[in-house]
Each structure stands twice: as structure tokens, then as C-alpha cells.
Amino acid sequence: MKAKHQRLTLVLLALAAVVGAGLLALSALKDQAAFFYSPSDLAAAGNPVGQRMRLGGMVAVGSVAKLADGVTTRFVVTDNARTVAVVYKGIVPDLFREGSGVVAEGQVAANGGFVADTILAKHDERYMPPQMAGKMHKTETLEK
């Protein structure tokens, strides 16, 4: 076998190994990956029941309701085009409130609603720690 053929064989074997490793990684991630959907994306996907995903959007104003059991919260996530009703059992984060951003992780129920097991509240991008905000108000200008 010529040296040229040996190099070609090694390159093909290395390429096959890389492709095989990539396929194994993708198959392992398929079970663990939770893709992000907005309410419009979810409607376009046809409400895939039972698939683990992340639903993101804004909490609709006036939609948050705590049920009688004290741990279940119902609210609506909107992207201003579509809405999805979400049910979550547990303690909601401190930043969770109406009109704020939220990412709910869970799955679509058979009735078209979303059952979340994790809630991530997003704070305003203009957020500033109170200590820093207080200092900013004290400083007027550097030119005095």
C-alpha cells in the first residue's frame, strides 16, 4: 500500500470517528435538550404534547391567580400575538410578576395548556442594585 493510500485511509477513519462522536452527542442531548418556544412558535409547532421545552414571553397583566391549595399558580404567557395558559406548582421567584418576562420549563398538556416544573423570572435589563442606584443619585456631575 502506498503512503498516499495510507494517509487517505487514516483521514477517512478520523472523519468516521468524528461523525460517530457527533451522532452520539446528539442522541444524548436529544433526551435532555429543552428547546425554547414563544407562544407563537408553540402554536406553529402544533402544541407538541409531552415534549420537554421552555416557554418564554411576558406574564399577561391580570392573569396571575393563586389556587386554593396555596402552591399552584396559574398565569398566561404572551408574546403579544398568542397566549398560553401555564400551571405551576411551587414557589414562584421573587421577580415573578405580571408584565415581566418569564421562562417556564415543562411540557404541553393534552388540553393545550402548559404545565411548568421550573419558573425563571427575568428582570428588567435596566436593573441596578439598590446600593448602586443610591450612589448614582448622590453623584450629580464630575465637573463641579
Side-chain angles (χ1 to χ4, degrees), residues 62-74:
S63 68
V64 177
K66 198 83 158 172
L67 298 187
D69 63 0
V71 293
T72 304
T73 305
R74 290 182 185 261

Side-chain angles (χ1 to χ4, degrees), residues 12-13 26 31 41 57 95 98 103 108 111-112 124 141:
L12 290 176
L13 287 174
L26 286 176
D31 294 336
D41 294 339
L95 296 173
E98 295 176 350
V103 175
V108 176
N111 64 1
D124 189 3
T141 179

Side-chain angles (χ1 to χ4, degrees), residues 43-103:
N47 291 335
V49 175
Q51 181 182 346
R52 185 145 187 87
M53 64 181 65
R54 290 182 172 185
L55 174 68
M58 303 295 285
V59 178
V61 175
S63 68
V64 177
K66 198 83 158 172
L67 298 187
D69 63 0
V71 293
T72 304
T73 305
R74 290 182 185 261
F75 58 96
V76 174
V77 174
T78 183
D79 62 356
N80 295 326
R82 298 273 186 158
T83 61
V84 175
V86 178
V87 175
Y88 172 69
K89 284 188 178 183
I91 299 171
V92 295
D94 291 339
L95 296 173
F96 178 82
R97 61 181 62 106
E98 295 176 350
S100 68
V102 67
V103 175

